[in-house]
Amino acid sequence: MMRVFFLSLSLLTAGPAAVADPGCVPGQDEKKCMIQAIWEAAAGFPADKRDRLKPIFLNTVALSGDAALLADWEGRLGGEAAPEPEYPDYVRERAEAELREADWNHFLQQAQAGLPPFNIGRPELMAAGARLAPDVATRQRVIEAMFALAGPPQPGARPLENFERGDFGHVLSELAMENCNLAAFDRAVQLTVEPDGLRYAFWRARITGGAAALAARVRTESDRQDTRHVREALEGYGAILQRGYCPA
């Protein structure tokens, strides 16, 4: 009898943690729900960590273009969105300079050989080149060269064994997300250090249109000591707020 009593008491006092965290419903209210879920994931952080997250959080909310939603959160957090100034894109400038001096054949030859300027930041520089491509065929040619340089996925490899592969995977995943190419995304994300990472889950959801279900994961996987989970959620969902979902 006493055992039943304590069991009943534990269920009554467990509170919200005893109830499965709900996801969000797709549609107009998804933004409000997802933003709420992301901030709830930060609720367990010490005050100083939450304070450091506030500007990033509000800047992400601002990407929604929803003035009322932003004003609500600015009031709740006692701050204002203040996007960082637009700094020069040095990687893009390097790619542009390389292409001014030679054609795409030379660009790819230099990249494949790892010759300057591709001896530093090759994945990012090639990704900038892909974005500068004048047509789909040229962009795809650059992307396939990037996949070839990355090599096949190595699931058992340690992150530092081939850090460039992980960098290629990251930028290729981002390119695929931007271009709404699910097949390329699924291929690229396997090259990353964390294929199952939350950022990539949101990026994939931009293509498939199913981010609402990730709210439960945002709430339940948060680490009270490490803000990376929340930062990845903000970066991942921020892409959806900024770009919208891909056409069905």
Side-chain angles (χ1 to χ4, degrees):
M1 184 69 179
M2 187 65 70
R3 181 179 178 183
V4 173
F5 170 77
F6 282 119
L7 177 60
S8 301
L9 182 62
S10 67
L11 291 174
L12 288 171
T13 58
V19 180
D21 289 306
C24 292
V25 178
Q28 292 183 341
D29 291 334
E30 181 198 282
K31 286 187 295 186
K32 292 181 181 179
C33 178
M34 189 66 72
I35 291 297
Q36 178 68 37
I38 294 173
W39 189 249
E40 285 176 10
F45 294 151
D48 61 327
K49 289 188 176 182
R50 287 200 308 274
D51 286 342
R52 287 196 293 271
L53 280 172
K54 284 179 182 179
I56 304 170
F57 179 86
L58 291 174
N59 288 346
T60 302
V61 177
L63 294 175
S64 69
D66 188 329
L69 180 64
L70 177 59
D72 176 50
W73 277 101
E74 287 178 331
R76 290 167 66 175
L77 299 185
E80 293 183 358
E84 294 183 1
E86 292 188 9
Y87 296 106
D89 188 340
Y90 293 112
V91 176
R92 182 184 177 93
E93 290 176 2
R94 284 168 59 200
E96 289 174 333
E98 184 69 15
L99 288 167
R100 278 196 300 269
E101 296 178 3
D103 59 13
W104 286 97
N105 288 331
H106 184 266
F107 181 91
L108 289 174
Q109 288 169 0
Q110 294 290 100
Q112 289 163 340
L115 297 174
F118 296 95
N119 56 325
I120 299 175
R122 177 165 61 170
E124 293 78 11
L125 190 51
M126 292 185 74
R131 292 186 176 98
L132 291 168
D135 51 59
V136 174
T138 304
R139 181 174 67 230
Q140 191 59 33
R141 185 181 170 197
V142 176
I143 288 173
E144 288 302 326
M146 294 168 71
F147 272 115
L149 287 168
Q154 300 288 338
R158 296 178 181 178
L160 294 180
E161 287 181 6
N162 190 337
F163 65 88
E164 192 180 52
R165 179 185 292 115
D167 290 346
F168 268 123
H170 178 77
V171 295
L172 283 165
S173 296
E174 189 170 21
L175 284 169
M177 177 272 291
E178 293 170 359
N179 296 327
C180 299
N181 189 328
L182 182 59
F185 181 88
D186 286 344
R187 181 184 174 193
V189 77
Q190 295 306 314
L191 300 170
T192 66
V193 175
E194 195 176 12
D196 297 325
L198 187 58
R199 177 201 297 112
Y200 300 123
F202 273 111
W203 284 4
R204 191 178 196 278
R206 178 180 181 254
I207 304 172
T208 63
L214 292 172
R217 180 177 172 185
V218 170
R219 290 187 174 104
T220 57
E221 292 185 5
S222 181
D223 183 336
R224 295 192 175 189
Q225 299 301 319
D226 188 353
T227 62
R228 184 178 58 176
H229 174 81
V230 173
R231 291 174 185 272
E232 286 191 0
L234 290 170
E235 183 180 348
Y237 194 57
I240 295 175
L241 291 176
Q242 184 176 30
R243 298 173 179 274
Y245 284 107
C246 294

